[in-house]
Amino acid sequence: LIHGGPGSAEMAVGWAFQRGWEDYFTVVQWDQRGAGKTWAANDPETVVPTMTKDRMVADVSEVIDLVRKRLGKDKVILMGHSWGSVIGLETALARPDAVAAYIGVGQVINFHRNEAEGWRLALEDARADNNAEAVAALEALAPYPGDAPLTIERIGAERTWSIHYGGLAAYRGDADPWFRAMRLSPEYDDAVLSTYDAGSLASLGALLPDLVAVDFDPVTTAPVPVFLFLGRHDTTTPSGIAADWLSALEAPAKATFWFEHSAHLP
């Protein structure tokens, strides 16, 4: 299980929803470079230069091999969410020897197309809501993403209104329960959680060039079964783009499962 959001301590949230899975599966997850306990335990000056997509794909592969050896399994089911869906899908495509099936949640397909569609939908919602502040802020970004560099600031300006209109949690502007769950995590104390913002910002800065370049559009075949869990109202990684990609994909098995009352955090 590869959680999403570069640098996020989403393992600290996992306990809130994955306990039911543990009745049926051995669930393995880890704090990626720049995230959670990994960030807290390491010198940023040492870690940040190593934070590239290719290095983190290699990390996924190494963790898979460790799990296979420790549990005596030939293959694992790999699930990736958001940023985790980038390095997860790349790993699944490269390691059919070790991956039995891949599950993408909030799957990123083409970052530029994702951003353009998310911006369009947020602007559509803002106009329908007669929200002059939101319309002005979103129109100021046009053309988005365009040819200008995609900075953290520009993405953040779009996300402000995408989240406001339910593109993250599907309940307008309210992803707070997701983040509040971290405070109750049995695995994380305040000392680790206090590093969340620093780890996230450092990770976004290091990984943004790789994230902006993500493009799975040329991928038309997969050597493993591929399943997508998609929130119907997701405009962070617009679910229609991922569903269309899967419909054209050739794979041993494939299916899309819709979460009708959810967005990016089903």
Side-chain angles (χ1 to χ4, degrees):
L1 173 61
I2 316 169
H3 280 307
S8 63
E10 290 181 21
M11 268 180 60
V13 179
W15 68 273
F17 61 81
Q18 75 182 38
R19 286 172 294 174
W21 300 351
E22 293 168 358
D23 291 338
Y24 301 93
F25 301 96
T26 299
V27 180
V28 179
Q29 54 187 316
W30 70 100
D31 280 339
Q32 300 167 50
R33 294 166 188 258
K37 291 183 178 181
T38 303
W39 173 260
N42 288 276
D43 180 357
E45 292 187 6
T46 300
V47 173
V48 172
T50 73
M51 292 174 60
T52 67
K53 177 171 65 67
D54 289 345
R55 177 60 259 180
M56 295 177 82
V57 168
D59 289 345
V60 178
S61 193
E62 290 175 14
V63 171
I64 287 173
D65 287 337
L66 175 67
V67 170
R68 293 164 67 210
K69 181 177 180 181
R70 183 170 297 182
L71 300 181
K73 300 295 183 181
D74 293 330
K75 296 186 177 185
V76 303
I77 298 170
L78 183 61
M79 174 183 279
H81 171 246
S82 198
W83 162 254
S85 78
V86 173
I87 57 178
L89 180 54
E90 284 214 8
T91 304
L93 294 172
R95 293 294 310 273
D97 62 303
V99 175
Y102 170 72
I103 302 168
V105 187
Q107 180 69 49
V108 180
I109 298 299
N110 178 299
F111 191 78
H112 270 264
R113 289 207 295 127
N114 281 359
E115 290 301 298
E117 179 68 358
W119 174 83
R120 184 188 70 80
L121 292 169
L123 183 56
E124 184 178 275
D125 285 340
R127 286 172 173 164
D129 192 33
N130 293 315
N131 186 333
E133 179 186 2
V135 169
L138 290 164
E139 287 183 340
L141 296 172
Y144 184 83
D147 296 326
L150 255 178
T151 62
I152 293 173
E153 290 75 21
R154 291 186 76 218
I155 295 170
E158 188 278 335
R159 290 293 189 276
T160 294
W161 297 108
S162 172
I163 291 171
H164 176 79
Y165 286 108
L168 183 67
Y171 300 100
R172 181 176 296 183
D174 188 10
D176 289 346
W178 173 270
F179 295 105
R180 285 201 302 268
M182 293 183 187
R183 304 178 202 167
L184 301 177
S185 171
E187 303 291 340
Y188 290 76
D189 58 24
D190 289 342
V192 173
L193 292 177
S194 68
T195 67
Y196 178 93
D197 289 340
S200 293
L201 287 172
S203 300
L204 280 169
L207 291 167
L208 187 59
D210 283 339
L211 181 59
V212 168
V214 169
D215 181 8
F216 288 110
D217 282 334
V219 176
T220 57
T221 62
V224 300
V226 177
F227 305 103
L228 298 183
F229 291 179
L230 303 178
R232 181 69 71 180
H233 306 284
D234 186 352
T235 61
T236 302
T237 55
S239 48
I241 293 175
D244 288 346
W245 174 82
L246 187 68
S247 69
L249 184 74
E250 293 185 11
K254 64 180 183 178
T256 298
F257 298 89
W258 290 97
F259 290 71
E260 296 293 345
H261 305 289
S262 297
H264 191 59
L265 305 176

